[in-house]
Amino acid sequence: MTALSREQVRVSRRIALVLRHRPESAGLTLDANGWVPVDELLAALRLTRAELDAVVEHNDKSRFAVARREDGTDWIRASQGHSRRVPVDLELPPVDPPPVLFHGTPRSNLDPILRAGLHSRSRHHVHLSADVPTALTVARRRSADVVVLRVAAGEMAKDGHVFRLSANGVWLTSAVPPRYLRI
């Protein structure tokens, strides 16, 4: 996958801000499942379809999903990561997770997490990774000094915790109690 240019990263962040956290800032209203017509997003953000397609196609995190409706219109949404203040149902069915998932975090967060667990805070879900390299990449967006936690996801599922898998491979759950975490 080709890396995004600096300008494309800026555009991607703008789209993510609107689709995940502040659709009203662009005069947009998401449907119940987080979708908005592509044409409306393009007009609101003053983007061309080519600019949008490049960002969607070359985004290594696959942050966005585009779907064509029966009427021939294209719609777009963020794959996950919405703020709680943006009520969306991504319609992701419960999925049995692998035995272990991972969560990267700045080392400064470690003690509070080990005491209280992982919580979604301002988001809809806790985000977990399928592998250590991805967890490290996620954590390093916030700090150079990071740690990766092992999440006993299989055990959590057996104990009744629900997991969902986003379109871009991010594992989602409502919280991870501390007893399921290991450094």
Side-chain angles (χ1 to χ4, degrees), residues 64-136:
F64 312 109
V66 175
R68 178 154 290 161
R69 299 264 168 110
E70 288 182 17
D71 65 2
T73 61
D74 288 339
W75 289 60
I76 187 169
R77 75 174 177 188
S79 296
Q80 91 288 321
H82 299 82
S83 299
R84 284 189 185 272
R85 60 181 297 283
V86 179
V88 297
D89 176 2
L90 296 177
E91 299 180 301
L92 300 173
V95 179
D96 289 333
V100 176
L101 291 169
F102 302 93
H103 182 81
T105 190
R107 188 173 300 279
S108 60
N109 294 342
L110 186 58
D111 288 340
I113 289 172
L114 292 177
R115 277 194 305 275
L118 293 168
H119 298 278
S120 60
R121 297 174 25 172
S122 64
R123 305 270 177 116
H124 285 258
H125 298 98
V126 171
H127 295 188
L128 303 172
S129 303
D131 56 65
V132 172
T134 302
L136 283 169

Side-chain angles (χ1 to χ4, degrees), residues 31-99:
D31 75 5
N33 305 119
W35 295 98
V36 67
V38 165
D39 289 343
E40 289 182 23
L41 179 73
L42 295 176
L45 298 183
R46 295 186 184 104
L47 297 173
T48 67
R49 182 61 192 252
E51 289 171 314
L52 177 68
D53 288 345
V55 166
V56 170
E57 179 182 343
H58 299 295
N59 190 299
D60 63 341
K61 298 173 189 111
S62 302
R63 283 192 169 126
F64 312 109
V66 175
R68 178 154 290 161
R69 299 264 168 110
E70 288 182 17
D71 65 2
T73 61
D74 288 339
W75 289 60
I76 187 169
R77 75 174 177 188
S79 296
Q80 91 288 321
H82 299 82
S83 299
R84 284 189 185 272
R85 60 181 297 283
V86 179
V88 297
D89 176 2
L90 296 177
E91 299 180 301
L92 300 173
V95 179
D96 289 333

Side-chain angles (χ1 to χ4, degrees), residues 1-5 8 54 57-60:
M1 181 171 287
T2 306
L4 294 177
S5 70
Q8 289 170 326
E57 179 182 343
H58 299 295
N59 190 299
D60 63 341

